[in-house]
Amino acid sequence: MTFLAIRGATTCENDSKEEITRATQELVSAILDKNSIAQKHIVSMLFTATPDLVSEFPATAARSLGLDDVPLMCAQELNVTGSMPRCIRVMIHIDADRQKSDIHHIFLGNAKALRKDLTD
């Protein structure tokens, strides 16, 4: 088994509990699906959100996908002038039998512009 990290990000249309939940669940589901990750291989998830998203914790939204035994943590993204607004980022740590080159990083919404070098 190999310890790997998968990156992803998405944006929200507005700061509401429903929108943060929708965007987070879409992002996490896309990462797990695209990478064929079973829950038993997830070590942990670290979420960040920009300071303009305050209505819900992305980890709470992810937990509602049934990730009850996965350690989840949230932090506030640095408030850098000119950075992308209403953005949620995630780093998922996995322990799986694969190589770095097998990993698919997922960027959705306006976040597609953040790391074109990491996307398919």
Side-chain angles (χ1 to χ4, degrees), residues 16 21 27 48 58 73 77-78 86 91-92 96:
S16 69
T21 298
L27 176 62
T48 65
M73 182 177 225
E77 188 71 29
L78 293 173
R86 296 181 307 281
M91 184 177 298
I92 301 176

Side-chain angles (χ1 to χ4, degrees), residues 8 44-48 71-75 89-93:
S44 65
M45 293 185 188
L46 173 63
F47 293 91
T48 65
L72 307 176
M73 182 177 225
C74 290
R89 292 173 173 85
V90 66
M91 184 177 298
I92 301 176
H93 303 103

Side-chain angles (χ1 to χ4, degrees), residues 22-78:
R22 181 205 61 74
T24 302
Q25 290 179 347
E26 177 185 41
L27 176 62
V28 170
S29 295
I31 291 170
L32 299 181
D33 290 345
K34 180 73 173 179
N35 288 284
S36 300
I37 301 296
Q39 185 169 336
K40 67 181 180 179
H41 295 295
I42 303 171
V43 175
S44 65
M45 293 185 188
L46 173 63
F47 293 91
T48 65
T50 50
D52 51 4
L53 293 177
V54 298
S55 297
E56 181 64 285
F57 291 105
T60 300
R63 175 104 33 236
S64 64
L65 291 172
L67 302 171
D68 296 328
D69 63 347
V70 176
L72 307 176
M73 182 177 225
C74 290
Q76 188 177 73
E77 188 71 29
L78 293 173

Side-chain angles (χ1 to χ4, degrees), residues 92-105:
I92 301 176
H93 303 103
I94 63 168
D95 195 10
D97 189 21
R98 60 185 74 195
Q99 303 297 313
K100 278 186 183 180
S101 59
D102 297 330
I103 296 299
H104 301 279
H105 304 281

